[in-house]
Amino acid sequence: MNETNYLHTDRVLIVEGKYDAARLSHLTDAMILLTDGFGIYKDKKRQRLFKELARKNGLILLTDSDAAGFRIRNYITNLVGAQNVAQAYVPAIHGKEKRKPQPGKEGLLGVEGVDDALVLKALRDALGPELEAVPQAVPDGRQITYTDLYEWGLSGTAGSAERKAALLNQLGLPPRLSKKELVEALNRLYSYEQLDAMQEEILQ
């Protein structure tokens, strides 16, 4: 991807599934989180995370152009407040993704199947003048890294899965965050210094 076509934003990009996220990861440096389709309806911790990130950074919603995508879009918009959301829309294009044996119910391409140029246009149209603005501030202090997760015993060590689950539970974060999603979410919500002080108490 040419650097001039790569989209920089401090907002958190919300998509429906992992194939959408994989597709978007080479088009933007935005933090990308999934709704897991309609799974967002029952996932209270992911709902709280969306609300917190919407308040701190703002969201970009990029769902499929079918009826299901619009239901998910409307649900999240109402959940976090329309004022915190930039709405990005891909056009309704008939077809199917290569990995699928047959088209979806409405015969439309999902986000993962739409050309890069159209996805980037949708994101730029949603952000508008904001693209030229100064990025929003992250919490004061050092950024949290993968090494920090290891040193805190949250990754790559005996019992790390249990300690990670305990921390996520105490912080009210979704239990199924990947390591990448966890680092990105923590950096949006806390500094290293804040979390270092907190996790010693939480993980005792």
Side-chain angles (χ1 to χ4, degrees), residues 3-196:
E3 179 64 22
T4 59
N5 293 327
Y6 193 77
L7 189 139
H8 301 277
T9 178
D10 196 51
R11 284 182 180 260
V12 178
L13 178 58
I14 306 297
V15 296
E16 291 182 52
K18 63 181 181 180
Y19 293 104
D20 299 328
R23 175 70 193 290
L24 271 294
S25 65
H26 76 279
L27 299 179
T28 177
D29 59 2
M31 176 184 179
I32 302 173
L33 290 176
L34 315 180
T35 71
D36 192 23
F38 291 125
I40 186 63
Y41 290 3
K42 295 182 179 180
D43 192 336
K44 299 302 182 185
K45 289 185 176 179
R46 190 164 292 256
Q47 290 174 21
R48 285 197 295 271
L49 177 60
F50 282 12
K51 287 179 182 178
E52 184 70 7
L53 292 172
R55 184 181 66 81
K56 286 179 173 287
N57 298 93
L59 306 182
I60 310 172
L61 282 182
L62 182 62
T63 61
D64 293 348
S65 55
D66 58 9
F70 273 85
R71 285 199 298 272
I72 293 169
R73 180 189 297 276
N74 291 335
Y75 179 82
I76 295 172
T77 300
N78 291 330
L79 177 74
V80 306
Q83 72 278 10
N84 297 319
V85 178
Q87 304 284 356
Y89 300 94
V90 292
I93 300 173
H94 287 275
K96 75 173 185 69
E97 290 75 16
K98 292 180 180 179
R99 68 179 179 84
K100 295 181 179 179
Q102 58 189 28
K105 184 177 180 180
E106 297 178 33
L108 299 175
L109 288 176
V111 169
E112 64 170 289
V114 177
D115 288 343
D116 286 355
L118 293 175
V119 173
L120 284 167
K121 182 178 186 304
L123 295 173
R124 291 197 175 99
D125 287 348
L127 293 171
E130 186 178 310
L131 282 174
E132 307 301 324
V134 177
Q136 298 178 26
V138 296
D140 291 335
R142 178 167 77 72
Q143 290 275 286
I144 297 160
T145 67
Y146 292 126
T147 301
D148 295 328
L149 297 187
Y150 176 81
E151 292 180 348
W152 286 331
L154 301 173
S155 175
T157 60
S160 60
E162 291 79 9
R163 284 190 290 271
K164 176 184 172 184
L167 178 66
L168 290 174
N169 184 58
Q170 288 296 321
L171 297 178
L173 294 175
R176 293 193 299 164
L177 290 179
S178 68
K179 186 163 71 170
K180 180 176 184 292
E181 288 176 330
L182 176 59
V183 167
E184 290 183 332
L186 292 177
N187 275 315
R188 298 296 176 117
L189 301 172
Y190 306 98
S191 68
Y192 166 83
E193 291 78 8
Q194 289 172 328
L195 196 61
D196 189 48

